[in-house]
Amino acid sequence: MTAYAIAHLRPADGPVHDEVLSYIERIQATMEPYGGRFLVHGAEVEVLEGEWPGALVVVGFPGVEEARAWYASPAYQELLPLRTRHLDGDTVIVPGVGPEYDASATAAAMRAARDRGARDRVAG
């Protein structure tokens, strides 16, 4: 199942540092052995709710294991400090959902779990 590496990068004070530009130039090569590809890269977002200072990066991978292997790879770990020394951000890996996913079934399962927990607390 497809997985995603998602980064929320906050703007730096001042111009883009040369190390960040080097990171951007070199990152694609670190993803290719793991089947990674950019889906969103550095795009400014249209904020509909809340706050979102900065840019969004979304990289798709064939699965969670490939995303984890890419992030842990020596090639990416060598490159990573070029960004983290100059940009604050948050990065996560998240599994996607398949074409059969049904949000109403998820809500039903969550409701059933909540109700079981409430019954257990009353009975306990």
Side-chain angles (χ1 to χ4, degrees):
M1 171 109 22
T2 303
Y4 304 94
I6 301 171
H8 175 202
L9 304 176
R10 280 166 298 290
D13 293 333
V16 178
H17 195 279
D18 282 340
E19 286 190 341
V20 174
L21 295 173
S22 180
Y23 171 89
I24 293 168
E25 291 167 345
R26 297 167 53 194
I27 189 172
Q28 184 76 38
T30 70
M31 298 183 315
E32 289 171 353
Y34 304 95
R37 68 181 187 87
F38 283 107
L39 302 175
V40 177
H41 190 211
E44 292 296 323
V45 299
E46 178 180 347
V47 178
L48 300 177
E49 297 179 27
E51 296 180 27
W52 190 284
L56 177 68
V57 177
V58 179
V59 179
F61 288 91
V64 170
E65 291 309 312
E66 292 88 347
R68 287 179 183 147
W70 161 73
Y71 190 86
S73 71
Y76 185 66
Q77 287 300 306
E78 178 185 323
L79 198 60
L80 185 58
L82 299 179
R83 176 179 59 79
T84 58
R85 280 195 288 261
H86 306 286
L87 293 175
D88 289 332
D90 303 300
T91 303
V92 299
I93 293 173
V94 60
V97 298
E100 72 287 348
Y101 178 76
D102 179 357
S104 63
T106 299
M110 292 170 71
R111 181 173 283 115
R114 179 199 64 193
D115 294 348
R116 274 192 308 277
R119 282 193 303 272
D120 292 348
R121 284 189 296 281
V122 169

